[in-house]
Amino acid sequence: MRARLGLEQAAADHRAAIDEVVRAIESLDRVAWTVPRQPGKWSPAEIAEHLVLAYEPPLAELDGGPGYAVPVPWWKRTVLRWKVLPQILERGQFPRGAPAPKEARPKGGAASPEEAVRQLRENAGRFEEKLCVAHAARSVRLTHAYFGKLTAPQILKLLAVHAHHHRGQFPT
């Protein structure tokens, strides 16, 4: 039986993952900031922008607006929820090569490492705070593009694993 994910642990995991990404960004050589890791891959600036953008749809949804668009049919979401979501939440493994939802695709990259850190800390912190406040007041379920509605602990854990996944893509 799967263990129930608690909000406090998910929030702690999320903060730790963001701190890890911030340290990676801060340690980057500025020359490498806009250079893709490999041909056809994102640069560190684009990865950082992607991480920042990943918070915007759920932040909008917490404010009563639209969250992520759900481009996959219900039956495919069901399969992804049963096969892929446990791999992410329980094993901390984000699938390689999974396409980014269109709302989170970079549009050119963060201007500088400093700006990326500022924006990431701001969006991640604001999201966690709003989510925890909303969760204390009511049952919260936010939309993910490929998994559909997720609980507050699930979405925080997913974002933590997502950050950790992309941390491995920054040059060391």
Side-chain angles (χ1 to χ4, degrees):
M1 177 175 267
R2 295 182 177 150
R4 185 164 173 83
L5 181 63
L7 185 64
E8 295 78 18
Q9 184 60 54
D13 291 348
H14 177 252
R15 285 189 300 276
I18 295 303
D19 287 344
E20 190 178 315
V21 168
V22 163
R23 283 192 300 276
I25 292 171
E26 290 174 337
S27 72
L28 283 174
D29 176 350
R30 290 193 66 98
V31 174
W33 183 242
T34 58
V35 178
R37 301 176 292 122
Q38 297 173 6
K41 298 292 183 182
W42 291 343
S43 68
E46 290 168 317
I47 294 168
E49 182 186 13
H50 166 67
L51 289 168
V52 169
L53 291 173
Y55 289 95
E56 292 185 6
L59 274 165
E61 192 171 4
L62 281 169
D63 287 337
Y68 278 107
V70 182
V72 295
W74 68 268
W75 61 268
K76 195 171 196 177
R77 268 194 321 275
T78 302
V79 171
L80 291 171
R81 283 181 74 89
W82 281 95
K83 291 200 172 255
V84 178
L85 189 59
Q87 173 185 324
I88 295 170
L89 299 180
E90 295 170 14
R91 296 186 208 125
Q93 297 174 337
F94 207 84
R96 288 189 182 275
K102 73 175 183 179
E103 298 91 339
R105 291 182 191 145
K107 296 161 184 65
S112 69
E114 296 79 16
E115 182 62 15
V117 165
R118 185 193 66 72
Q119 289 177 333
L120 181 58
R121 284 213 185 273
E122 181 180 311
N123 275 11
R126 193 162 40 103
F127 175 72
E128 185 178 319
E129 181 181 335
K130 282 183 163 220
L131 182 65
C132 289
V133 167
H135 179 74
R138 67 184 192 290
S139 176
V140 175
R141 295 178 64 81
L142 296 176
T143 307
H144 183 273
Y146 305 130
F147 304 119
K149 295 289 187 178
L150 299 177
T151 66
Q154 287 175 321
I155 196 80
L156 265 179
K157 183 66 176 184
L158 179 75
L159 286 165
V161 175
H162 180 249
H164 184 72
H165 166 76
H166 285 294
R167 162 51 193 105
Q169 296 174 342
F170 288 107
T172 54

